Amino acid sequence: IDVCVGGNSVEKKIYVHLNYTVPCVRLLNATHQIGCQSSLSGNVGVLHVLESEDNLDWVLKSGPNPPYLVILESPLFTRSIMMKLKNGSRRVAGVVVVAPNANPLEAFSPHTTCPNENSGVYSEDYDPALAHCNVTVWNPFGNGLAYEEFDFPIFSLKDDNDTHVIRQCYMEHNRAVNGSTPQYPLCAMQLYSHMSAVTNTATCMRRNDIDFSISPEMVCDPLGDYNVWASTRPINNTAKGHKMWESVVIAAARLDSRSFFFDIAPGADSGVSGFVTLLAAAHALRNATQEAPPNRTILYAFFQGETFDYIGSSRMVYDMQNNQFAVDLDNVHSVLEIGQVGLHTESKLWLHSDPVSRKNSSVLFQVRKLIENLQSAAGGLNISMDEPSVSQPLPPSSFQRFLRARPIPGVVLEDHQSAFSNRFYESMYDNAEYLNISYPPNMTPEEQLEFVTDTAKALTEVATMVAKALYMQAGGSEPQLSSIKADAQIVTRLLYGFLVRSNNSWFQQLIPSDLMSHLANRPTNFYVGVTQQSSEPTLLVQHLLANLTGSTVNITQENCQNQREDENDKENKHMYYYMWVQGAAPPNSTQREGFCIRSTVRLSKALSPAFDMREYTSKDYSTWTESRWKSIKGRIFLVASHDLEMLTLGVGIAVLLTSLLLTYVISSKADMLFSSGREPTNATY
C-alpha cells in the first residue's frame, strides 16, 4: 500500500491502522441481544468494495477467497443487503459502512416502525385496539436494523483519508478485472470489537455478580444517566414525597437519541429540537415567573434514556410513587411535552392527547383547557395548530409513562399529524443538515455561533408559544404575557452548540473549568451510555438550564461549592443548587472571571427501577444493558495466498525437523566426531 508510515517497527511496516472507527456494539434486554461483535482475536477478511446489490454474489457464493470484509457506500447500507450478508455470515468477516459527507435523498431509519412498542401506555390492559401501533405506524421508514443481531463486526468510517487508502488498496490488489481472479498478495482488513456479554440482561447481570477474584470481571452495565429538572419556585429537595398546597405543571422533553453506530447519535429532530425549545421557553419565563409568580409551579423535566423503553421518565414516575422525588403524582396538575418540533411544515404543529383518559370528564376538561391555552398563546405568532382525529393514540412520548400510573391531563406537541415527519428517525442523518441549519460561507466558528438561522427563528416562535401556554396553564396573570418572548440569539447558540460544535465560547463560559474536557469540535453524541457517569448532554443541559433560569449571586467560590450563601447558611441547600462556572475572560486578559449561579436545577437518577429491584426480566421497566469490551480498532494489511502460507509453513517445519535430526545425529556421534588424541595426564610443560 502506498502509504507513508513513520517509525521503523515491523508492525508499522505491515499494518495501516484506521482512525475514527465507530463500531456497532452489543446491547441486551430481558429477552434478546442485539448489535454486533467480532471474535476474541478480531475478524480478518479480504477486502471487497460492494458496488451494487447484484455484486453480492461475489461475496456470498463465487468469490474464491472468503471470508470477505465488505466495504459499503451508505446507499447500500439497507436492510435487504445487510440481511443477505447476515444469512451468509460464514463467508462474511465484517462490514465497513462509509459515512457520507452529505445526507442521502431517500429516507433511512434503523429503528423499528413502532418505537418503544411494549413499554408505553397502550397494552392489553389499556385499550388493546391502540396497542402495537395498530392505528398509527409512527415510524413507517423504520427498517429495524438497529435491533438485529449480527455475529460479525460492523464499523462506520468517515469518508476521508482512511477510506481513500482502503479504496486504493482494493483497486491495486483485489479488484477482479474482466472476470479474472485477483492474484495474491491481497488486501485484507482486521476488525476488533469483541463483546463480553452474551444472551440477555439476566445472564450478564448474573455473571457480573460471580466473584471469583479480587477484581471481578464485569461483562455489562445498565443503560442510564441522570434526568435534569428545575422548578420556577424552589421546592425542598431534601424532604421527599408529597408537598402540601403544591400544584405542578410538568414541561417535559427528552434528551437522548441513538443510531446504528455507538458513537454517532445527533438526534436533531428527534431530541434536540424539543429540548432546545424547552430550554428557550424556560429562559423566556425566568423574569415573568419571578416578578408575578403564577399559582402553580412549572417543573421543567429533561428525560434521559427515553429511546430505550423510557428509562428516565419511568424512573421519575417510580420515584414519585415511592416518595423518592421532591413531589409526588398527587402534586402533578398536568403535563405538556415538547416532542419533535424541528420540521413543522407550513409552521403547523399538532397537539396530541390520549383518547382513553379523555373519557374521564375532569381529565377532558383540563386537556381542553391546556389546548385552549396553547392555541391562545399562538395568537400573533407565525404558528398554526391542530389536533389529530379523536381515536388516534399518543405518539411515543415520556407522557405515556405518567399515564401508566394514573390519568393525568396532558398534551404532546409534535411536528407530525400521524406518522413521523422525520425521515431519519434515530439515524446518523438526523443532524444539523437535516434541520437546514447552514451558515453563509467564510464564517468563523464564532460568527456561526451568533448567526441566527431560519431554523432558530422558527423554533424561537415555538418556544415563545410554549412559554406563554405554560404561564397560562400555571395560572399566571394576563398582563405578563406580552413580556414573555423567547430569544432567537439563545436558540441559535443552543442549536450550534449541540448540532455543530459544543466547544464554543458561550458553552465555555457557562460550565465549571473541570468540565472543559467534555466540550468537542463536533456535534454532541446523544446516546445515553451507561450509568457509570453523566454524559455530555446531561452536563451541558444541567449547566445551561441553571444559567438560563437561575441568578448570579455574589458569594465566594468556596461558599458556592459548599452549597451555602455564607458560613452560617444551613437552609438554602435544601431549596437551591449552587454552581461555580468559569465565565468569560475580559478583553486583554486570559484569566476568566468565574461566578456563582443559584438555581433550582437538580439531577435525578435515570436508571431503570428494574436494576434496583433486580428484576432483570421485568415487563414494566426497561432492562437494557450494554456489553463491555476490551478494544475497538481496525487495520489493513496485505495477506499472502493460503497455498504460499502453507508452503512456507511446510518448508519451516521441514527445516526444523532436519535441524533436529542433524542435532541428534551430531550429538550421538559427538565422541567420534570431536575427539582428538588425548595428552597423557602427567605431561609437564
Side-chain angles (χ1 to χ4, degrees):
I1 305 166
D2 303 326
V3 179
C4 180
V5 180
N8 296 316
S9 75
V10 173
E11 197 214 19
K12 283 187 177 173
K13 289 179 177 172
I14 296 173
Y15 299 108
V16 175
H17 288 271
L18 303 172
N19 308 311
Y20 313 117
T21 52
V22 181
C24 142
V25 302
R26 174 170 287 168
L27 301 175
L28 307 98
N29 68 5
T31 53
H32 289 76
Q33 60 182 24
I34 61 169
C36 325
Q37 79 150 357
S38 75
S39 64
L40 191 56
S41 55
N43 284 24
V44 179
V46 170
L47 276 185
H48 182 75
V49 176
L50 194 68
E51 283 156 11
S52 71
E53 190 159 354
D54 307 337
N55 194 224
L56 266 177
D57 251 18
W58 181 269
V59 174
L60 299 176
K61 290 178 186 163
S62 60
N65 307 306
Y68 286 98
L69 217 144
V70 182
I71 312 295
L72 288 180
E73 296 292 339
S74 60
L76 296 175
F77 184 49
T78 62
R79 182 173 181 88
S80 158
I81 288 178
M82 291 308 297
M83 295 314 282
K84 285 177 184 172
L85 291 172
K86 176 180 173 173
N87 296 332
S89 61
R90 289 175 61 181
R91 289 179 58 95
V92 179
V95 172
V96 170
V97 180
V98 180
N101 294 320
N103 282 359
L105 296 173
E106 59 286 336
F108 177 79
S109 170
H111 209 73
T112 56
T113 54
C114 191
N116 288 352
E117 179 177 352
N118 300 311
S119 50
V121 70
Y122 304 108
S123 64
E124 276 56 51
D125 309 326
Y126 193 95
D127 205 332
L130 302 179
H132 307 296
C133 294
N134 287 339
V135 174
T136 307
V137 175
W138 294 109
N139 186 31
F141 298 117
N143 60 31
L145 267 183
Y147 289 84
E148 290 290 340
E149 186 202 348
F150 296 92
D151 55 5
F152 49 77
I154 304 176
F155 280 43
S156 171
L157 274 184
K158 277 186 185 169
D159 194 357
D160 61 5
N161 188 44
D162 276 350
T163 48
H164 173 70
V165 168
I166 291 168
R167 287 191 186 104
Q168 189 181 349
C169 189
Y170 169 75
M171 296 302 277
E172 288 177 9
H173 297 278
N174 295 16
R175 192 157 193 231
V177 182
N178 301 329
S180 64
T181 304
Q183 299 301 304
Y184 283 98
L186 294 173
C187 193
M189 182 184 278
Q190 186 170 26
L191 297 179
Y192 291 88
S193 66
H194 180 68
M195 299 287 144
S196 305
V198 292
T199 313
N200 54 37
T201 289
T203 305
C204 81
M205 293 304 282
R206 188 176 68 244
R207 288 179 182 173
N208 280 351
D209 291 339
I210 297 171
D211 192 2
F212 285 140
S213 64
I214 300 165
S215 54
E217 185 88 354
M218 302 288 279
V219 295
C220 68
D221 300 285
L223 292 187
D225 198 334
Y226 289 91
N227 297 323
V228 183
W229 66 275
S231 52
T232 52
R233 238 194 304 256
I235 297 173
N236 188 331
N237 191 47
T238 311
K240 306 291 188 190
H242 187 70
K243 299 285 189 291
M244 291 293 283
W245 320 118
E246 188 71 78
S247 178
V248 166
V249 176
I250 294 179
R254 68 176 241 198
L255 284 180
D256 67 304
S257 181
R258 74 169 296 207
S259 79
F260 186 86
F261 298 103
F262 167 71
D263 216 16
I264 316 171
D269 188 39
S270 66
V272 177
S273 66
F275 78 70
V276 161
T277 299
L278 187 52
L279 282 169
H283 177 244
L285 282 165
R286 174 167 64 182
N287 292 343
T289 52
Q290 285 170 5
E291 288 163 18
N295 306 334
R296 298 186 187 96
T297 303
I298 302 168
L299 190 146
Y300 309 111
F302 297 83
F303 295 121
Q304 264 289 14
E306 296 301 274
T307 307
F308 296 97
D309 295 329
Y310 305 119
I311 295 172
S313 53
S314 64
R315 180 56 187 241
M316 187 176 279
V317 171
Y318 174 82
D319 285 346
M320 285 180 174
Q321 289 171 315
N322 291 282
N323 293 329
Q324 296 293 310
F325 193 69
V327 294
D328 69 2
L329 288 170
D330 290 331
N331 293 126
V332 178
H333 173 266
S334 49
V335 177
L336 172 61
E337 181 172 347
I338 322 301
Q340 307 183 84
V341 290
L343 296 169
H344 51 289
T345 46
E346 299 148 21
S347 301
K348 189 157 196 176
L349 288 170
W350 295 88
L351 307 174
H352 296 260
S353 57
D354 170 45
V356 182
S357 58
R358 283 202 315 255
K359 291 172 186 168
N360 175 323
S361 57
S362 62
V363 170
L364 177 63
F365 175 75
Q366 291 298 342
V367 169
R368 300 272 18 120
K369 207 164 168 198
L370 178 49
I371 288 172
E372 282 164 23
N373 285 337
L374 283 157
Q375 287 171 333
S376 161
L381 298 170
N382 186 24
I383 297 174
S384 64
M385 276 182 293
D386 208 344
E387 294 174 70
S389 65
V390 179
S391 60
Q392 185 173 285
L394 281 170
S397 50
S398 310
F399 176 47
Q400 290 200 28
R401 293 301 302 200
F402 285 85
L403 284 175
R404 272 180 77 134
R406 62 172 64 177
I408 293 171
V411 167
V412 180
L413 194 63
E414 299 275 2
D415 58 17
H416 55 89
Q417 178 181 2
S418 52
F420 295 162
S421 312
N422 189 347
R423 295 182 301 122
F424 299 129
Y425 183 73
E426 308 289 35
S427 83
M428 58 181 161
Y429 309 126
D430 186 8
N431 53 18
E433 181 193 338
Y434 188 45
L435 287 192
N436 289 325
I437 296 172
S438 56
Y439 301 91
N442 306 322
M443 268 195 172
T444 65
E446 281 306 301
E447 288 168 341
Q448 289 183 348
L449 174 68
E450 300 298 336
F451 179 78
V452 180
T453 60
D454 290 341
T455 307
K457 288 173 188 166
L459 285 182
T460 305
E461 296 265 280
V462 181
T464 301
M465 185 267 292
V466 166
K468 287 183 171 180
L470 284 170
Y471 191 70
M472 288 189 273
Q473 184 68 9
S477 57
E478 200 76 24
Q480 288 289 331
L481 285 175
S482 57
S483 68
I484 298 174
K485 193 171 187 315
D487 184 345
Q489 203 68 51
I490 297 275
V491 175
T492 207
R493 286 175 184 172
L494 288 168
L495 291 171
Y496 179 83
F498 285 113
L499 296 176
V500 183
R501 50 191 290 168
S502 58
N503 189 16
N504 59 69
S505 61
W506 190 55
F507 277 20
Q508 287 167 13
Q509 290 170 31
L510 306 184
I511 61 168
S513 53
D514 58 337
L515 295 183
M516 279 289 279
S517 61
H518 287 268
L519 301 183
N521 295 327
R522 55 169 174 71
T524 305
N525 171 28
F526 287 98
Y527 169 65
V528 59
V530 295
T531 53
Q532 260 54 16
Q533 66 278 326
S534 291
S535 64
E536 182 187 327
T538 303
L539 293 166
L540 289 175
V541 168
Q542 177 194 8
H543 289 87
L544 286 161
L545 186 59
N547 280 276
L548 295 173
T549 61
S551 54
T552 308
V553 284
N554 188 17
I555 57 174
T556 64
Q557 185 170 354
E558 186 192 358
N559 282 337
C560 186
Q561 288 168 339
N562 285 322
Q563 301 298 317
R564 63 191 186 194
E565 306 244 337
D566 56 47
E567 281 71 9
N568 303 319
D569 178 11
K570 300 276 193 294
E571 295 305 313
N572 273 309
K573 65 181 179 187
H574 303 307
M575 311 301 284
Y576 294 103
Y577 187 77
Y578 296 82
M579 54 176 71
W580 187 268
V581 299
Q582 60 180 6
N588 309 326
S589 168
T590 53
Q591 191 64 40
R592 290 179 179 272
E593 293 181 351
F595 55 92
C596 188
I597 294 279
R598 183 183 78 181
S599 72
T600 59
V601 176
R602 306 271 184 181
L603 296 180
S604 69
K605 225 189 248 185
L607 169 67
S608 169
F611 295 100
D612 282 359
M613 299 185 286
R614 301 177 74 83
E615 291 179 6
Y616 305 132
T617 54
S618 170
K619 288 187 169 62
D620 295 322
Y621 294 107
S622 169
T623 53
W624 286 103
T625 50
E626 176 189 286
S627 173
R628 290 202 177 185
W629 59 83
K630 288 281 193 300
S631 68
I632 300 275
K633 59 183 179 181
R635 56 190 187 178
I636 54 176
F637 53 94
L638 292 179
V639 64
S641 83
H642 188 65
D643 294 347
L644 181 60
E645 285 175 337
M646 289 299 104
L647 179 65
T648 309
L649 180 65
V651 170
I653 291 169
V655 169
L656 173 68
L657 293 173
T658 308
S659 62
L660 287 172
L661 185 65
L662 275 171
T663 307
Y664 172 74
V665 170
I666 291 167
S667 142
S668 62
K669 308 286 185 191
D671 285 351
M672 196 167 66
L673 290 171
F674 302 116
S675 64
S676 55
R678 290 177 183 271
E679 294 173 354
T681 52
N682 59 355
T684 56
Y685 294 91

